Amino acid sequence: MENLMPTGMRTLCRVTDIPENGAKGFPGADGAFTGLVAVRQGDNVYVYENACPHIGTPLDWTPDRFLSVDGRHLICATHGAEFTIATGACISGPCRGDRLTPVDVVIRDGSIHVLGDG
Ligand code: FES
Protein backbone atom coordinates (compact mmCIF):
# COMPACT_ATOMS: atom_id res chain seq x y z
CA MET A 1 0.00 0.00 0.00
CA GLU A 2 1.29 3.45 -0.87
CA ASN A 3 2.24 5.67 2.06
CA LEU A 4 0.53 9.01 1.45
CA MET A 5 1.74 10.61 4.67
CA PRO A 6 3.47 13.90 3.88
CA THR A 7 7.14 14.10 4.70
CA GLY A 8 8.07 16.00 7.84
CA MET A 9 5.41 14.35 9.95
CA ARG A 10 6.00 12.56 13.22
CA THR A 11 3.81 9.70 14.41
CA LEU A 12 2.96 10.00 18.11
CA CYS A 13 0.87 6.89 18.81
CA ARG A 14 -2.43 5.19 18.07
CA VAL A 15 -5.53 7.12 19.11
CA THR A 16 -6.47 4.17 21.30
CA ASP A 17 -3.15 4.43 23.16
CA ILE A 18 -4.68 7.46 24.90
CA PRO A 19 -7.50 6.61 27.30
CA GLU A 20 -10.94 8.04 26.51
CA ASN A 21 -11.01 11.50 28.15
CA GLY A 22 -7.37 11.03 29.06
CA ALA A 23 -4.02 12.56 28.18
CA LYS A 24 -0.55 11.35 27.26
CA GLY A 25 2.80 13.11 27.16
CA PHE A 26 5.51 12.74 24.55
CA PRO A 27 9.15 13.79 24.69
CA GLY A 28 10.40 16.36 22.23
CA ALA A 29 11.71 15.14 18.92
CA ASP A 30 15.48 14.90 18.54
CA GLY A 31 16.96 18.21 19.59
CA ALA A 32 13.63 19.70 20.67
CA PHE A 33 13.49 21.12 24.19
CA THR A 34 9.72 21.01 24.54
CA GLY A 35 7.63 17.86 24.54
CA LEU A 36 3.99 17.48 23.59
CA VAL A 37 0.75 16.59 25.32
CA ALA A 38 -2.16 14.91 23.52
CA VAL A 39 -5.68 14.82 24.97
CA ARG A 40 -8.37 12.53 23.62
CA GLN A 41 -12.07 13.29 23.80
CA GLY A 42 -14.03 10.75 21.81
CA ASP A 43 -12.77 10.87 18.23
CA ASN A 44 -11.08 14.24 18.78
CA VAL A 45 -7.43 14.56 19.70
CA TYR A 46 -5.90 17.87 20.76
CA VAL A 47 -2.13 18.29 20.84
CA TYR A 48 -0.20 21.13 22.47
CA GLU A 49 3.38 21.89 23.32
CA ASN A 50 3.93 20.71 26.86
CA ALA A 51 4.99 24.12 28.11
CA CYS A 52 2.98 26.44 30.31
CA PRO A 53 2.70 29.97 28.90
CA HIS A 54 3.44 31.34 32.39
CA ILE A 55 7.13 30.41 32.73
CA GLY A 56 7.50 27.58 30.24
CA THR A 57 7.67 24.59 32.56
CA PRO A 58 6.07 21.26 31.55
CA LEU A 59 2.43 20.96 32.60
CA ASP A 60 2.62 17.50 34.16
CA TRP A 61 3.91 16.80 37.64
CA THR A 62 4.25 13.11 36.90
CA PRO A 63 4.12 11.27 33.55
CA ASP A 64 0.74 11.50 31.77
CA ARG A 65 -0.97 13.39 34.64
CA PHE A 66 -2.23 16.50 32.86
CA LEU A 67 -5.93 16.76 33.62
CA SER A 68 -8.09 18.10 36.40
CA VAL A 69 -9.83 15.56 38.63
CA ASP A 70 -13.04 15.91 36.60
CA GLY A 71 -11.07 15.56 33.35
CA ARG A 72 -12.45 18.81 31.93
CA HIS A 73 -9.27 20.90 31.91
CA LEU A 74 -5.54 20.68 31.44
CA ILE A 75 -3.75 21.78 34.61
CA CYS A 76 -0.26 23.18 35.07
CA ALA A 77 1.47 21.40 37.95
CA THR A 78 3.71 24.36 38.78
CA HIS A 79 1.18 27.07 39.74
CA GLY A 80 -2.19 25.48 38.94
CA ALA A 81 -3.26 27.32 35.78
CA GLU A 82 -6.25 25.70 34.05
CA PHE A 83 -6.67 25.43 30.28
CA THR A 84 -9.62 24.43 28.13
CA ILE A 85 -8.88 21.21 26.29
CA ALA A 86 -10.36 22.19 22.93
CA THR A 87 -8.65 25.60 22.61
CA GLY A 88 -5.75 25.62 25.08
CA ALA A 89 -7.00 28.92 26.49
CA CYS A 90 -5.99 29.62 30.08
CA ILE A 91 -9.13 30.28 32.08
CA SER A 92 -7.62 30.62 35.55
CA GLY A 93 -4.21 31.10 37.10
CA PRO A 94 -1.29 33.46 36.54
CA CYS A 95 -1.40 33.21 32.74
CA ARG A 96 -5.17 33.76 32.42
CA GLY A 97 -5.96 35.04 28.93
CA ASP A 98 -2.89 33.39 27.41
CA ARG A 99 -2.99 29.97 25.75
CA LEU A 100 -1.06 26.79 25.12
CA THR A 101 0.71 26.47 21.78
CA PRO A 102 -1.36 24.17 19.53
CA VAL A 103 0.22 21.59 17.25
CA ASP A 104 -1.42 20.61 13.96
CA VAL A 105 -2.60 17.01 13.98
CA VAL A 106 -3.48 14.50 11.27
CA ILE A 107 -5.28 11.31 12.26
CA ARG A 108 -4.91 8.61 9.66
CA ASP A 109 -5.56 4.89 9.95
CA GLY A 110 -6.07 5.27 13.68
CA SER A 111 -2.69 6.91 14.34
CA ILE A 112 -1.89 10.45 15.43
CA HIS A 113 0.63 12.38 13.36
CA VAL A 114 1.95 15.88 13.95
CA LEU A 115 3.60 18.27 11.58
CA GLY A 116 7.25 19.10 11.89
CA ASP A 117 9.66 18.01 14.54
CA GLY A 118 7.02 18.27 17.27
S1 FES B 1 4.26 27.71 35.28
FE1 FES B 1 2.22 27.10 34.82
S2 FES B 1 1.00 28.34 36.06
FE2 FES B 1 3.02 28.99 36.53
Side-chain angles (χ1 to χ4, degrees):
M1 173 182 246
E2 185 179 4
N3 180 1
L4 299 176
M5 189 58 58
T7 57
M9 299 203 80
R10 174 185 174 199
T11 302
L12 293 182
C13 65
R14 309 270 312 159
V15 171
T16 53
D17 290 337
I18 304 173
E20 176 77 25
N21 299 315
K24 186 172 178 60
F26 300 89
D30 288 348
F33 177 75
T34 305
L36 301 176
V37 52
V39 184
R40 176 183 170 202
Q41 290 188 316
D43 293 333
N44 295 318
V45 176
Y46 305 93
V47 179
Y48 298 98
E49 292 185 3
N50 184 12
C52 181
H54 184 211
I55 59 172
T57 56
L59 299 172
D60 49 329
W61 54 275
T62 192
D64 298 335
R65 297 298 298 268
F66 290 94
L67 301 181
S68 57
V69 172
D70 63 8
R72 296 181 57 208
H73 299 100
L74 285 148
I75 299 267
C76 176
T78 304
H79 303 118
E82 290 183 282
F83 305 88
T84 62
I85 292 171
T87 68
C90 180
I91 57 167
S92 73
C95 47
R96 185 182 182 119
D98 211 334
R99 63 183 55 238
L100 300 172
T101 302
V103 175
D104 289 334
V105 173
V106 173
I107 297 176
R108 186 168 295 168
D109 297 330
S111 292
I112 305 165
H113 311 273
V114 295
L115 289 170
D117 295 335

